[in-house]
Amino acid sequence: MRRRRSCARLGGVALTLATLLAASSAGAQVASDPVETTEPAEIRVVGKPDPAGLLPDQRAPKAQSAISADFIVKQAPTLNAFQLVTLLPGANVASSDPYGLSTSSSLTLRGLGQDEIGVLMEGAPQNDIGYYYAYPSQFADPENLKRITLAQGSVDIDSPTLGGAGGLLSLTLDDPKARPQALADLSLGSYAARRGFFRIDSGTIGTTGLKAFLSYSNTRADNWRGAGYDTRQHVDAKLLDEWGAGNRASLALSYNDANSSSYPSPTLADWNAQGRGFNYDARYSEGNTNYWRLYRAPFRNLYASAPVHLVLNDRLALDTTTYLQFGYGNSPYGTQLTTTGNYLGTEKLAQPIALPGAVDGLATVLGNYTGDQMRTGNVSKLTLQAGRHKITAGLWFDYGTDRVTQSYISIDADGQPVDRWGYRAKAIRTADGRLLAYENQRTVTVTKGFFVADSIAVTPRLTVDAGFKGVDVLRNGRNYLPGPQDKVRKDSFAALPRAAIHYRLDDRQQLFANITTNFRTPNEFTLYNSYYGGELVAQGTNALKNEYSVSQEIGYRFIGEQLSASVTGFHYKFRNRQLATVIDQGGAQVNATLNAGGQTSYGIDAEIDYRPIAGVSLYLSGEYLHARIDDDLPVGADFLPTSGKRAVSSPTVQFGAGGTYDDGRVFGSIASKYIGRQYSSFMNDESIKGYATLDLSVGLHLAEWLDGKRTDLRVNAINVTDPHVLSGVQSVSTNAQDVIGRNGTVISGSAPAYYIGSGAAVMATLSRAF
């Protein structure tokens, strides 16, 4: 790999400072909750509650933003967690539908994709164990969220997540209420959208001290473009017990059952030719593989988390979180099969296959991409307060299985799949009874980690942290397709040191700096061979190097009665930067991971919240990002001249602006975000323009005019200006145009694909407490 020296620039100060700290016997940031981070006991809180809920007080020695229930409750109730954090610094959200129901969406932080961002809900990981993606439409309903925290640069040392160079998104559920009560929301909106939500709180149950809530929601909406519709049923529940001086145990459950549309992603040529008309077909005709019913994705997921905090004595505490997940779903597509000339892996099938509805040996079928996952794990830590030292030591264990199958299901004369779930028992078989599949594999992933940290209150104002985390990831798998590959295995270990410093200038002002390391082992599909037409089109390998990154931050934070602000400078250095994409191999669409070599990024994040009078809040955020590729990219026997090019999906600038008003009777909010130009190829020979979005809401508190019980009526206008834009990059390419490589060969271009920005929508919601 050709390399070019990079400039540390902005990160140099933070790197030097944090290295000196690590050389001393300093301590590390150890807690996910910023309240648990080391801070002198005598600190006074001088701020007052933020009515916008956009800039809650922070004391962690790192960049960290958050939104609270005060802000969430003013937004459209269908919005997912990605859409809710779009105003925060560094958050680049590409959403394909206004209501957040589709799985076609993405989040990048400081130019790093959602497979680089850890996601936790009640302390339990939400990322896919094999591919690292998280799907926000499956998360808890907004009415049940107490806070969403976004750490733009790093994960906490005790977070049970892999990767995380892009940061950490943490969702905290609301606690059950102390008194029995109920809440109902009814919503109607554009595109025949309708939603019902109902929650009941038990209150304290007798003398047990237990409290619980249970909620159910049901949502349906037509696709805002093209034919089709989305449905979603969701259940959240939480059981909580608190006793003694700080002991706490809870069980949180979240179940999601959805049938979502996957909007097609155009190339730039498709977009220029058809614009928003680039859709699946509304009607089925014989041989049509573009019919909308062939692209509806059903998924069912269950998440369970049981966090426990035990105060063992006045100096020692135990925190443990056990989690369990189940998920099954299908991401289907339309395709065609012939009765003869088929292959299973590299084996040519001698006997014809039976294809219902085949005409002249050809049939249109539903191609399935099913995932069947189970994941369980536990992360536990002991925290000892010993004088000035706060020492933490913990263990993490995670076990997950992932069965991935690309099979085929027949469809009837109207284009309706016989089975939309893609169950193997109902899939098309070979003449000798084997499953006809393009991909058929099972992977077991075992993660073991340990961490130790020390946090030292050097003075009442100065806290120094240092820590170390070791993580081992073992993947064992089997490829069930006939061919040269049977079992696969990859074992990776990473040593992840970190250090941080936090200095309190006074009761209002803070300084912080940190250095953090992260790694990510390649996605599981890189281990497996891919075959097409009996030929090997993608070689599975366990030789791909782990991505490794070192990041530094240095920042200033101000917390005042009317003004709160934060500014952070950051710097990243990557080795073996991994980027997931989709490539065409002999007509087959194959998942792939590109090793983009080295990358250097630096920039500034800032946010400010001004509260001039009671009930009014004004919020601004911004980011400047300089992200450059350090190396030429190997393609075949040649190299693309990518050194010095801008990183993909990394806008140089983005700005957010918002405001809220609430005088006890009338309330409203405004939120606008601008995202700058984004490149979609490593050669920077294709990009999408910058664009802006605008959301508005207005509402009335009706309690005083009725019976005194909470009754709110609000109207949310989403994407008011309705810009016709491409909102993000769905799949990157090495080069969009033909390029002459460093060694003189012609490297053919391939077109990136994009998300089409969602249209405008209006939703009215009546919320009533009982």
Side-chain angles (χ1 to χ4, degrees):
M1 186 78 68
R2 299 182 183 180
R3 294 190 177 274
R4 177 176 295 182
R5 182 179 299 176
S6 63
C7 298
R9 295 191 184 181
L10 184 61
V13 176
L15 175 60
T16 303
L17 179 59
T19 303
L20 290 173
L21 295 175
S24 67
S25 58
Q29 173 195 348
V30 298
S32 299
D33 187 342
V35 174
E36 295 180 3
T37 58
T38 300
E39 190 72 22
E42 69 271 15
I43 187 170
R44 294 186 297 112
V45 177
V46 298
K48 61 183 179 181
D50 174 13
L54 275 167
L55 193 54
D57 294 352
Q58 305 287 350
R59 287 180 283 162
K62 63 177 181 179
Q64 185 166 276
S65 303
I67 59 172
S68 69
D70 293 328
F71 176 78
I72 295 171
V73 75
K74 295 179 175 65
Q75 310 310 307
T78 62
L79 298 189
N80 62 51
F82 286 0
Q83 292 171 306
L84 288 171
V85 300
T86 189
L87 272 182
L88 301 183
N92 175 12
V93 179
S95 183
S96 291
D97 77 294
Y99 294 131
L101 299 173
S102 173
T103 56
S104 300
S105 64
S106 74
L107 167 68
T108 64
L109 288 176
R110 297 176 178 173
L112 302 175
Q114 65 194 69
D115 56 342
E116 297 268 13
I117 302 168
V119 179
L120 299 178
M121 186 164 66
E122 287 293 288
Q126 306 296 296
N127 303 75
D128 186 294
I129 188 61
Y131 307 94
Y132 306 120
Y133 281 85
Y135 304 97
S137 59
Q138 300 171 2
F139 299 165
D141 280 326
E143 290 94 337
N144 297 324
L145 292 176
K146 179 167 61 177
R147 177 178 289 199
I148 304 177
T149 302
L150 187 67
Q152 289 91 343
S154 64
V155 300
D156 297 297
I157 198 170
D158 59 348
S159 295
T161 59
L162 289 174
L168 182 69
L169 181 71
S170 300
L171 285 75
T172 304
L173 293 183
D174 185 27
D175 283 343
K177 308 302 182 184
R179 295 182 179 180
Q181 63 182 53
L183 175 69
D185 287 356
L186 297 176
S187 303
L188 296 173
S190 307
Y191 316 112
R194 58 181 183 267
R195 179 181 186 269
F197 170 89
F198 184 77
R199 167 174 160 165
I200 184 169
D201 284 76
S202 66
T204 302
I205 303 173
T207 60
T208 65
L210 293 172
K211 298 178 289 185
F213 80 73
L214 175 68
S215 73
Y216 169 77
S217 69
N218 190 306
T219 308
R220 185 197 184 282
D222 289 343
N223 288 2
W224 74 272
R225 65 179 177 93
Y229 60 94
D230 296 324
T231 60
R232 178 182 186 266
Q233 296 186 84
H234 191 89
V235 175
D236 290 323
K238 187 172 182 179
L239 178 67
L240 173 66
D241 188 17
E242 296 175 296
W243 70 97
N247 296 296
R248 176 184 172 96
S250 64
L251 173 64
L253 300 173
S254 189
Y255 172 75
N256 195 73
D257 185 336
N259 198 3
S260 305
S261 299
S262 55
Y263 292 91
S265 299
T267 65
L268 192 57
D270 294 329
W271 171 252
N272 290 333
Q274 301 181 55
R276 290 179 170 180
F278 185 79
N279 298 310
Y280 296 122
D281 296 335
R283 289 183 170 79
Y284 179 74
S285 58
E286 186 177 322
N288 184 4
T289 61
N290 199 50
Y291 180 48
W292 70 272
R293 288 188 182 275
L294 305 181
Y295 294 87
R296 300 194 70 218
F299 278 88
R300 288 180 182 144
N301 307 83
L302 175 65
Y303 300 96
S305 177
V308 177
H309 177 73
L310 297 176
V311 179
L312 303 180
N313 57 44
D314 59 353
R315 296 195 306 156
L316 186 64
L318 170 67
D319 290 277
T320 180
T321 299
T322 301
Y323 53 87
L324 177 66
Q325 303 172 9
F326 294 99
Y328 180 87
N330 189 12
S331 298
Y333 56 95
T335 189
Q336 290 187 319
L337 289 178
T338 56
T339 55
T340 60
N342 293 293
Y343 290 84
L344 192 61
T346 57
E347 177 188 335
K348 184 176 177 61
L349 299 180
Q351 299 296 321
I353 58 175
L355 291 178
V359 177
D360 297 328
L362 181 68
T364 300
V365 297
L366 183 76
N368 305 302
Y369 189 95
T370 61
D372 190 353
Q373 290 196 348
M374 185 282 294
R375 185 178 185 184
T376 185
N378 174 273
V379 58
S380 297
K381 67 179 182 182
L382 283 169
T383 303
L384 173 66
Q385 187 72 53
R388 294 177 178 269
H389 295 265
K390 190 180 200 179
I391 302 170
T392 299
L395 297 172
W396 173 35
F397 176 79
D398 186 287
Y399 178 90
T401 63
D402 186 17
R403 180 67 187 271
V404 174
T405 307
Q406 286 203 57
S407 60
Y408 307 96
I409 293 286
S410 59
I411 63 176
D412 62 22
D414 297 324
Q416 181 74 34
V418 172
D419 170 37
R420 62 189 175 94
W421 288 94
Y423 290 124
R424 291 190 295 274
K426 299 181 180 180
I428 295 171
R429 300 271 167 169
T430 65
D432 57 4
R434 290 178 293 171
L435 181 71
L436 183 67
Y438 171 73
E439 187 176 5
N440 191 355
Q441 63 208 35
R442 181 178 184 269
T443 310
V444 175
T445 302
V446 179
T447 305
K448 292 175 285 186
F450 67 92
F451 52 91
V452 60
D454 188 12
S455 184
I456 306 174
V458 180
T459 72
R461 295 181 181 273
L462 176 64
T463 303
V464 177
D465 302 342
F468 179 86
K469 186 174 186 178
V471 181
D472 182 86
V473 181
L474 172 64
R475 295 198 197 274
N476 271 315
R478 183 176 179 186
N479 191 341
Y480 294 100
L481 295 179
Q485 186 184 62
D486 181 16
K487 295 181 179 180
V488 301
R489 177 185 172 91
K490 182 176 176 63
D491 196 355
S492 302
F493 176 81
L496 305 171
R498 59 173 58 201
I501 183 172
H502 182 273
Y503 184 73
R504 184 168 56 88
L505 294 171
D506 53 35
D507 291 340
R508 299 176 185 269
Q509 301 180 85
Q510 308 167 30
L511 294 174
F512 61 87
N514 63 66
I515 179 169
T516 307
T517 55
N518 284 285
F519 97 112
R520 195 185 74 166
T521 189
N523 297 335
E524 69 178 37
F525 58 71
T526 61
L527 299 172
Y528 293 96
N529 288 349
S530 293
Y531 309 106
Y532 183 75
E535 300 292 330
L536 178 68
V537 294
Q539 176 74 56
T541 178
N542 62 3
L544 281 177
K545 295 181 179 179
N546 292 328
E547 177 183 284
Y548 194 85
S549 65
V550 180
S551 63
Q552 305 96 33
E553 293 180 329
I554 184 167
Y556 168 81
R557 188 178 290 135
F558 179 87
I559 303 173
E561 293 185 3
Q562 291 185 302
L563 180 70
S564 299
S566 177
V567 59
T568 304
F570 58 87
H571 176 270
Y572 293 85
K573 181 67 177 177
F574 284 89
R575 297 200 309 264
N576 303 306
R577 173 87 163 89
Q578 294 175 14
L579 285 168
T581 188
V582 178
I583 60 175
D584 188 286
Q585 293 280 2
Q589 298 298 305
V590 179
N591 288 318
T593 295
L594 301 176
N595 186 331
Q599 179 177 316
T600 302
S601 303
Y602 60 82
I604 297 176
D605 283 337
E607 58 183 333
I608 184 170
D609 188 39
Y610 178 51
R611 303 172 290 277
I613 58 174
V616 175
S617 177
L618 303 174
Y619 176 84
L620 293 173
S621 70
E623 178 179 89
Y624 167 78
L625 174 65
H626 178 102
R628 294 293 185 268
I629 301 170
D630 294 339
D631 303 313
D632 289 340
L633 186 68
V635 178
D638 208 339
F639 289 84
L640 274 174
T642 54
S643 179
K645 301 291 186 182
R646 295 187 184 182
V648 296
S649 301
S650 300
T652 301
V653 294
Q654 53 178 294
F655 300 102
T660 64
Y661 175 79
D662 194 335
D663 64 5
R665 292 187 177 181
V666 179
F667 64 90
S669 69
I670 181 171
S672 180
K673 188 69 178 274
Y674 171 78
I675 303 293
R677 177 182 296 273
Q678 302 177 65
Y679 286 96
S680 54
S681 72
F682 290 87
M683 279 300 300
N684 293 174
D685 52 3
E686 192 166 298
S687 64
I688 57 175
K689 298 178 181 178
Y691 68 95
T693 59
L694 176 65
D695 296 342
L696 301 172
S697 74
V698 64
L700 295 174
H701 296 299
L702 304 176
E704 291 186 4
W705 299 335
L706 298 174
D707 55 5
K709 295 182 179 179
R710 174 189 159 189
T711 306
D712 294 337
L713 174 64
R714 72 179 184 272
V715 177
N716 294 97
I718 306 167
N719 206 18
V720 175
T721 56
D722 195 19
H724 290 225
V725 296
L726 295 172
S727 61
V729 183
Q730 189 268 339
S731 64
V732 301
S733 73
T734 56
N735 50 302
Q737 310 298 324
D738 292 350
V739 174
I740 298 177
R742 295 291 191 188
N743 296 334
T745 62
V746 176
I747 300 174
S748 299
S750 59
Y754 303 94
Y755 296 107
I756 294 179
S758 67
V762 177
M763 174 166 279
T765 301
L766 179 63
S767 180
R768 169 71 171 172
F770 300 92

